[in-house]
Amino acid sequence: MERCDGKIEIILENHIPRNETIIKKIYHEGVFKVSPTIHLDDEKIPCYFLMHMGGGYLEGEHCYNDIHLKKDTRSIITTQTPTIIYKCLNNIPAKQFTKIQLEENSVLEYIMDNTILFKDARFDQETDIYLDSTSTLILAEGITAGWSSDGKPFQYKLAKMKNRIYLDNRLILLDKLMLSPEKNDLFSMGHFENYLNYGTAIIIDSRIDLEFVENMREYLQEYDIDVKYGVSKLEIPGIVVRALGNLTQNIQKIIYGATNYSRQKLLGSSKLDLRKQ
């Protein structure tokens, strides 16, 4: 392992007599903290907020997350606030590495606030997710261009976000985004196409089929906002939602619309309110 400036380890297990998800281990060190168990609704699904005590990533900072849901567990894990990346004047990126393991019949809603990259920021994020064929993953994340004094867009230097998802130890999705405003015109075709910000959701569950995908597309059409988005079915039972827009809150309406639709139809749960405002 490289130098570690912050680390979180979460292991959840099922308390069999009550059929309830409980903590087996929660550990944090350095600039990372994790909240106590919080219940957001009547379902009593345990929720944990990940916190960066420094307010954001500094140049060269390395942080690690290790999340493990054992058999028959369910949890919501989210960030307390957007992840902020500050300037990297020596061209050394801040890095975040995450490993997630979902055992049989486990359910994880991994809802990350957007990553905000300020002028001269460099960020490298890698996430490895290991799923069982009976587990469910609902993931959301995105990128927002931070404010700059001259008002010009895309003042950050580099953003790399890579998700590797394995199903029964077989790689089924390699999802890689690399944005380099110095080398590419991000307003061009094939990049952000006159939009500033980006969001994505990845949902994997054995019950997702073409009908589910079509119904979600119809559901998202009800949002009358200036966001360009698409819903794509994966080769395995799962979908990817991409959204481009200028206002992060509008992007999140689409992304959270997709995740809430999924939790309602797949899990029988109501709309998720993370109460961050």
Side-chain angles (χ1 to χ4, degrees):
M1 180 183 292
E2 299 181 59
R3 186 190 75 253
C4 178
D5 298 294
K7 181 179 180 181
I8 284 176
E9 184 177 2
I10 299 173
I11 303 177
L12 303 177
E13 65 180 5
N14 182 268
H15 186 266
I16 295 177
R18 293 181 296 180
N19 191 29
E20 179 182 356
T21 297
I22 62 171
I23 298 169
K24 180 176 177 64
K25 179 180 181 181
I26 287 189
Y27 170 82
H28 51 77
E29 68 175 57
V31 298
F32 267 4
K33 302 291 182 183
V34 59
S35 74
T37 304
I38 298 171
H39 296 109
L40 300 177
D41 52 29
D42 292 338
E43 291 183 278
K44 302 298 182 183
I45 303 166
C47 176
Y48 301 93
F49 288 82
L50 308 183
M51 298 172 281
H52 191 299
M53 303 309 292
Y57 280 82
L58 302 177
E59 181 173 27
E61 202 166 67
H62 290 190
C63 294
Y64 300 82
N65 296 323
D66 193 339
I67 299 167
H68 187 172
L69 272 66
K70 292 185 173 290
K71 180 180 178 181
D72 297 324
T73 55
R74 180 177 178 183
S75 182
I76 302 162
I77 296 179
T78 184
T79 42
Q80 184 188 39
T81 60
T83 300
I84 295 175
I85 315 299
Y86 293 112
K87 59 186 177 182
C88 301
L89 296 180
N90 297 304
N91 296 323
I92 303 173
K95 295 185 178 182
Q96 176 176 292
F97 303 93
T98 301
K99 180 182 178 182
I100 297 173
Q101 297 173 269
L102 301 185
E103 292 189 13
E104 182 180 351
N105 294 319
S106 61
V107 178
L108 175 62
E109 296 173 75
Y110 190 66
I111 311 298
M112 301 291 101
D113 288 287
N114 271 33
T115 298
I116 301 176
L117 294 107
F118 285 98
K119 184 177 181 179
D120 296 321
R122 292 177 178 267
F123 185 55
D124 188 349
Q125 174 183 290
E126 293 191 25
T127 303
D128 290 329
I129 303 175
Y130 298 86
L131 305 177
D132 182 86
S133 58
T134 61
S135 58
T136 297
L137 172 70
I138 298 176
L139 178 152
E141 61 184 5
I143 287 179
T144 295
W147 176 88
S148 61
S149 59
D150 58 14
K152 295 180 180 179
F154 305 119
Q155 292 290 289
Y156 54 87
K157 297 294 186 181
L158 181 68
K160 294 169 64 177
M161 302 179 78
K162 181 188 293 184
N163 294 317
R164 288 179 290 254
I165 300 181
Y166 300 83
L167 184 64
D168 293 334
N169 293 316
R170 179 173 64 91
L171 180 65
I172 51 95
L173 179 63
L174 176 58
D175 187 29
K176 184 176 180 180
L177 174 72
M178 186 168 72
L179 304 173
S180 179
E182 288 185 314
K183 298 179 180 179
N184 305 109
D185 177 9
L186 296 191
F187 279 139
S188 65
M189 183 70 67
H191 287 90
F192 280 14
E193 302 179 12
N194 293 320
Y195 288 104
L196 291 171
N197 304 315
Y198 162 85
T200 188
I202 300 174
I203 300 141
I204 298 177
D205 183 283
S206 61
R207 292 160 290 191
I208 293 176
D209 54 17
L210 283 174
E211 182 180 5
F212 180 93
V213 176
E214 291 299 329
N215 289 340
M216 177 182 284
R217 287 171 178 158
E218 292 181 8
Y219 174 79
L220 293 179
Q221 286 176 0
E222 298 177 5
Y223 289 89
D224 184 20
I225 50 179
D226 182 20
V227 173
K228 179 180 289 188
Y229 70 91
V231 180
S232 301
K233 186 180 184 304
L234 299 173
E235 292 185 3
I236 54 96
I239 59 172
V240 173
V241 181
R242 310 284 197 206
L244 295 172
N246 290 320
L247 297 177
T248 297
Q249 56 266 40
N250 283 344
I251 293 174
Q252 289 177 336
K253 286 179 181 178
I254 295 296
I255 298 303
Y256 293 165
T259 59
N260 279 319
Y261 179 86
S262 299
R263 76 189 318 263
Q264 177 186 2
K265 298 299 181 181
L266 299 174
L267 306 173
S269 297
S270 59
K271 180 180 178 181
L272 180 62
D273 182 3
L274 293 172
R275 302 174 186 172
K276 298 183 185 181
Q277 298 179 349

